[in-house]
Amino acid sequence: MVDGAITPASVPVTYASRRKRGVLALVVALLGLSRIVSASPGEGTVGYALNLTETQLLDDVQQRAVRFFVEHTDPQTGLTEDRAPNDGSPGRAPASIAATGFALSAWCIADRRGWLPPGEAVRRVRTTLAFAAGHLPQEHGWFYHFIDAHDGRRAWRSEASTIDTALFLQGAILAREYFAADAATAALVDRIYRRIDWTWALNGGRTLSHGWRPESGFIAARWDRYSELMGLVLLGVGAPERALPAAAWGAWRRAPVVALAGRTFIQCGPLFTHQYAQAWFDFRGRHDGQADYWLNSIDATLAQRAWSAAQAGRFPHWSAELWGQSAGDGAQGYTAWGTPGPAQEDLSDGTLVPCAPAGSLPFAPRECLTALRRMRATGGAGVWGRYGFADAFNPETNWVSPDVIGIDLGISLVMAENLRTGLVWEKFMRAPEVRRGMRLAGFSENAAAPPPIVASIGAGARARRSAEAPESGGN
């Protein structure tokens, strides 16, 4: 078992701010969380064989992420804190509905790997879904972005968020498919899904609004260009009631298309935008006649790596082995770090975000695993805490975020599992709503995508369709 693995002595099973163990903790101790199921070296779903060192690293990353979800999810509501200190001290943030969706996914992974005692994962799933279905405030089925972890009340005057509700729903659907024999879970997910009014969130347009606030109504911004929106729209098109029209899939722009580092792809700077939909939806070999979204995320990941290496004159620690830009903490606050381009200004100051390579593990395994190893070696003990990597750090200034963020740990956990076993993809893609959404959106296997219209980044960049296999062997 790797250093820091989850054990009965190291994992409080109640909410971190309460720190009470009680009967459930005794059950956990008796059953023994040392029943760790670690896959053997060589596992992998995208043509990359993990060696022993890589397997141990991913075990550690995933187990520590699960520890966060265990310690920072309220046992009565099932809601998960947005962020928490990486030293294990009590969190101060409200819950995030998106982080709670990743927690639902975490329980499935932890159950499969034996990191929770038998029956514990499905109990946690039921607790969350029952509270969300019966007690959590919502507007036309859309949940608020931030809520009080203890009672579900809206926090920070946040919006009823379309994208964050979709992230929750993707975790809920995964849990339903993973615990397929559990009728209570299925009924709760069905209730939550059917309650969402997708057409209302169009607000008279062809694309979904970002959300709605009681004080001011709909947010003007829309999901109208390439970003993390794909899962949101596909869930809407495949919805069981008040679904989006199939035309909603074609209503958003596949732009800007750029050429960078010899790769051509639809650009959105922070890497999470290329990762979130693909954490659950398996786009490998599936095309809608407009783009190859799997290849697009490979190209975006490797282009960012190349761009980062080219910045070594500004940031001497950066290289082809030490890179990673995604939305995350910074010394001056939360920032949408990302590869610059027509839609992304260069905000870089040397800060690195570990969930950037971790969330792209299936797209470029070798490059991303190398980056994670280098991050840990370069940052030392300061960047590695109770829940794994700090959310962000700057090797140029020695600044380290004191916190971890639930959605960043979540994307790292889920994509590591997809690289290793494909569990999340396998279960989620069984959902009838998912299959219906992709079918109505025009997806078919091995369909050709048309060549893109390209905007170049940097002098001498040449437009071309990137059709080669990724350097690390992903497919």
Side-chain angles (χ1 to χ4, degrees):
M1 188 163 55
V2 296
D3 175 55
I6 300 174
T7 66
S10 66
V11 181
V13 296
T14 57
Y15 195 59
S17 63
R18 299 177 184 180
R19 300 293 186 188
K20 296 178 181 177
R21 291 184 176 253
V23 176
L24 182 58
L26 177 61
V27 172
V28 171
L30 291 173
L31 288 171
L33 283 178
S34 58
R35 184 175 56 90
I36 300 298
V37 179
S38 298
S40 301
E43 64 179 356
T45 61
V46 294
Y48 182 83
L50 297 167
N51 62 36
L52 178 60
T53 299
E54 293 165 339
T55 298
Q56 291 174 332
L57 173 63
L58 293 186
D59 272 347
D60 210 358
V61 167
Q62 290 185 282
Q63 289 178 37
R64 287 173 186 262
V66 169
R67 176 185 286 155
F68 166 83
F69 289 111
V70 168
E71 295 183 1
H72 293 278
T73 296
D74 185 278
Q76 275 71 55
T77 66
L79 301 175
T80 303
E81 284 185 336
D82 176 61
R83 64 165 64 220
N86 201 17
D87 62 3
S89 57
R92 302 170 299 278
S96 152
I97 197 63
T100 304
F102 276 110
L104 290 170
S105 301
W107 307 143
C108 301
I109 294 168
D111 182 77
R112 174 58 63 89
R113 290 193 169 273
W115 295 339
L116 290 174
E120 176 66 10
V122 71
R123 186 198 66 79
R124 287 178 173 274
V125 165
R126 289 182 196 144
T127 295
T128 301
L129 294 175
F131 189 85
H135 305 285
L136 196 59
Q138 45 82 23
E139 183 62 37
H140 287 76
W142 301 97
F143 293 123
Y144 287 97
H145 190 162
F146 297 108
I147 57 267
D148 187 289
H150 306 299
D151 59 24
R153 288 181 298 174
R154 177 191 180 208
W156 292 344
R157 293 170 63 90
S158 62
E159 79 284 9
S161 171
T162 49
I163 191 64
D164 293 283
T165 299
L167 291 170
F168 174 87
L169 185 58
Q170 286 170 134
I173 291 172
L174 170 65
R176 183 191 68 189
E177 298 305 311
Y178 180 81
F179 296 108
D182 186 64
T185 294
L188 289 166
V189 174
D190 187 63
R191 178 180 173 187
I192 291 167
Y193 202 168
R194 288 181 180 277
R195 186 171 60 190
I196 299 173
D197 190 338
W198 298 85
T199 56
W200 173 80
L202 289 171
N203 189 28
R206 299 175 63 239
T207 55
L208 290 164
S209 167
H210 279 205
W212 180 91
R213 290 188 175 91
E215 299 82 7
S216 54
F218 281 104
I219 296 172
R222 288 182 174 272
W223 296 107
D224 58 4
R225 65 188 299 169
Y226 178 84
S227 62
E228 67 272 29
L229 62 77
M230 292 194 297
L232 166 66
V233 179
L234 288 170
L235 289 176
V237 171
E241 293 186 14
R242 295 181 293 278
L244 295 176
W249 179 250
W252 54 274
R253 291 173 291 151
R254 278 75 175 162
V257 177
V258 303
L260 175 63
R263 297 178 179 276
T264 301
F265 57 98
I266 311 168
Q267 196 246 9
C268 194
L271 276 185
F272 83 90
T273 61
H274 301 276
Q275 299 164 352
Y276 274 17
Q278 303 211 40
W280 293 276
F281 284 87
D282 186 357
F283 288 98
R284 293 175 298 171
R286 295 179 171 93
H287 311 282
D288 62 353
Q290 302 189 68
D292 182 332
Y293 303 105
W294 173 258
L295 178 59
N296 196 78
S297 291
I298 292 172
D299 283 337
T301 296
L302 294 175
Q304 182 181 106
R305 171 178 174 261
W307 177 84
S308 298
Q311 309 309 307
R314 301 165 58 201
F315 310 121
H317 286 85
W318 286 24
S319 70
E321 294 188 346
L322 186 62
W323 55 275
Q325 296 270 283
S326 194
D329 283 346
Q332 305 304 315
Y334 192 82
T335 303
W337 310 111
T339 316
Q344 173 82 26
E345 62 178 308
D346 186 356
L347 303 174
S348 56
D349 68 354
T351 298
L352 297 171
V353 185
C355 72
S360 281
L361 279 164
F363 307 137
R366 180 181 300 116
E367 293 80 4
C368 291
L369 285 161
T370 297
L372 292 174
R373 290 197 304 270
R374 286 296 304 274
M375 284 180 170
R376 189 165 176 182
T378 300
V383 305
W384 189 252
R386 182 166 182 80
Y387 309 123
F389 285 108
D391 189 67
F393 69 103
N394 191 327
E396 312 303 329
T397 64
N398 294 320
W399 172 86
V400 179
S401 172
D403 289 351
V404 292
I405 296 178
I407 57 176
D408 293 348
L409 292 177
I411 191 64
S412 303
L413 169 66
V414 170
M415 290 304 240
E417 193 60 36
N418 278 333
L419 169 64
R420 301 179 74 175
T421 67
L423 172 69
V424 177
W425 289 330
E426 175 198 348
K427 299 298 184 182
F428 183 81
M429 294 299 292
R430 294 179 181 179
E433 304 93 341
V434 170
R435 297 196 302 270
R436 179 167 61 247
M438 296 195 81
R439 176 176 56 81
L440 292 173
F443 278 88
S444 59
E445 296 190 6
N446 301 316
I453 300 172
V454 182
S456 296
I457 298 179
R462 293 186 300 165
R464 68 175 182 84
R465 178 65 186 165
S466 178
E468 72 273 19
E471 295 163 29
S472 57
N475 54 32

